[in-house]
DNA sequence: AGCAAAACTTACTATTTAGTAAGTTTTGCG
DNA sequence: CGCAAAACTTACTAAATAGTAAGTTTTGCT
């Protein structure tokens, strides 16, 4: 049975995020969400005035999610490699669920996004890129990593490999993603 | 003035391709095309029965385009590096025109594409990936390149760096793309 | 010039879309 | 219990969408 009451807003966010990762921002409607919840369109509008607000909510939650992950990693005793792997693991999950990453999804639709959310997309990319860069920097200092590019550039390379890697995997299969994953780890390990 | 007659079909393909690279398959309509041509919706339907057929036509043309490039490179006296650069140059042009590559665009929308065109997307990826792989292989044999991954894997890395690189560039600016471009060239040069 | 095919326009349809206003039910709280 | 706010449903718009059928114009060819 579909959840009710206060959970509904969270459920809408969850379903919306899944739809974006699966089909993209321009390919889902309020009806898609309300059908899953066995509710009416207007119920979704009650929680989020418009699709614009819904997207903003989804991005905000995703931002929070990554801030959370960042804090977790900071207090953990994981090696830099393990931290990087926790990040990469998120992409592997996407491949197995036939999805692409939110960043890649909204980036592809960027020119069609409402102006009010574009800033959030930039913020999200800065956050994720910063996290990877920091982990790389730290790992290099500790002697775990041995890449020659700047940490920022190496983070860019990893991000693009993964983002496009999951996009490719939906078409040509998981094997290509696996190869990319292995190769980028070899790159940073040196 | 908008072109007429036999050129119209080609114009529709050109405009459609531009719209896919700029906004994505799900974010443009027949009206967008007919407006540019100063014609009616039905005129576009005369040349392409449905959006599905239009997409198929666009992908076919893009396939032809790449086959052409492949032949050109084969008979040319360019070094492997110059060949690779001709390929990369296509992505630089995209960045400057606020577009992403067709492959990345349809890959992001893959789950929403009509079944009849999915095979063409696979074909396109195989073709492009094969071209890059071949160039890398050839360059390594000639001593121009010195990468350690298999040519296939290295081609995958380059493709994903470029595809996601142009997606990223629309948001965070050209500078990131330029860094990626430089770095991937350093990678293959060894 | 005449004619047939090609290249359109006119005039629609059915569906989906985001969104709204007003009314009803549910829920938790004093 | 009673009541107010929260969480919905009902019942709609208005606009955009892909698509179609039938009629008109344009074009190239003999």
């Amino acid at each position: 049975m579909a959840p009710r009451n206060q959970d509904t807003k969270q459920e809408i966010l969850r379903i919306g995020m899944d739809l974006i990762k699966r089909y993209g921002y321009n390919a889902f409607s309020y009806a898609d969400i309300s059908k899953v919840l066995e509710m009416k369109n207007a119920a979704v509008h009650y929680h989020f005035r418009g699709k614009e607000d819904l997207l903003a909510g989804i991005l905000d939650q995703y931002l929070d999610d990554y801030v959370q992950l960042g804090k977790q990693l900071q207090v953990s005793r994981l090696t830099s490699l393990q931290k990087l792997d926790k990040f990469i693991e998120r992409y592997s999950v996407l491949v197995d669920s036939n999805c692409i990453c939110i960043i890649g999804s909204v980036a592809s639709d960027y020119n069609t996004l409402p102006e009010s959310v574009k800033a959030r997309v930039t913020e999200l990319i800065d956050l994720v890129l910063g996290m990877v860069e920091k982990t790389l920097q730290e790992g290099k200092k500790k002697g775990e990593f041995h890449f020659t590019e700047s940490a920022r550039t190496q983070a860019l390379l990893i991000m693009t490999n993964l983002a496009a890697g999951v996009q490719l995997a939906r078409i040509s299969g998981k094997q290509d993603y696996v190869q990319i994953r292995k190769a980028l780890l070899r790159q940073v390990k040196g």
Side-chain angles (χ1 to χ4, degrees), chain A:
Chain A
M1 218 185 316
R4 297 268 145 178
N5 304 335
Q6 307 94 317
D7 298 327
T8 303
K9 192 165 189 173
Q10 278 301 314
E11 273 295 292
I12 292 172
L13 286 172
R14 217 206 73 239
I15 296 163
M17 195 179 295
D18 185 76
L19 289 168
I20 288 181
K21 289 188 291 186
R22 207 169 291 277
Y23 306 117
Y25 179 67
N26 294 307
F28 82 91
S29 69
Y30 268 41
D32 292 324
I33 295 176
S34 61
K35 259 178 233 158
V36 175
L37 291 171
E38 294 175 87
M39 287 177 175
K40 301 294 162 184
N41 265 351
V44 183
H45 279 284
Y46 171 76
H47 292 283
F48 296 95
R49 278 182 56 153
K51 212 178 169 183
E52 191 170 336
D53 306 83
L54 174 57
L55 179 59
I58 290 170
L59 292 176
D60 279 344
Q61 176 159 299
Y62 198 63
L63 269 162
D64 285 349
D65 201 43
Y66 258 103
V67 168
Q68 206 64 28
L69 177 66
K71 283 182 187 170
Q72 260 188 353
L73 294 185
Q74 217 162 19
V75 298
S76 75
R77 294 181 182 275
L78 297 173
T79 65
S80 296
L81 179 62
Q82 284 171 327
K83 286 179 184 176
L84 182 61
D85 215 65
K86 266 207 179 297
F87 175 75
I88 296 173
E89 180 58 25
R90 296 195 156 207
Y91 284 83
S92 304
V93 169
L94 290 172
V95 170
D96 291 323
S97 54
N98 201 31
C99 289
I100 63 174
C101 77
I102 289 213
I103 294 177
S105 182
V106 297
S108 292
D109 292 338
Y110 194 71
N111 283 350
T112 73
L113 297 184
E115 288 300 322
S116 61
V117 301
K118 286 190 177 178
R120 278 188 181 80
V121 177
T122 308
E123 212 180 319
L124 183 54
I125 290 177
D126 284 347
L127 176 68
V128 175
L129 220 49
M131 263 186 56
V132 177
E133 181 184 348
K134 199 175 160 190
T135 303
L136 290 174
Q137 194 89 64
E138 176 197 283
K140 195 174 187 180
K141 204 171 175 182
K142 291 199 287 175
E144 283 184 61
F145 299 149
H146 301 90
F147 52 88
T148 52
E149 301 290 341
S150 73
R152 161 84 184 179
T153 299
Q154 193 65 47
L156 272 170
L157 293 172
I158 291 173
M159 273 287 300
T160 52
N161 281 149
L162 290 174
V166 295
Q167 288 170 18
L168 213 66
R170 278 209 301 205
I171 302 166
S172 61
K174 187 173 182 175
Q175 203 46 47
D176 280 343
Y177 169 78
V178 172
Q179 289 303 317
I180 292 167
R181 182 190 166 135
K182 284 183 189 167
L184 74 83
L185 280 171
R186 280 192 288 266
Q187 266 179 31
V188 293
K189 285 183 193 168

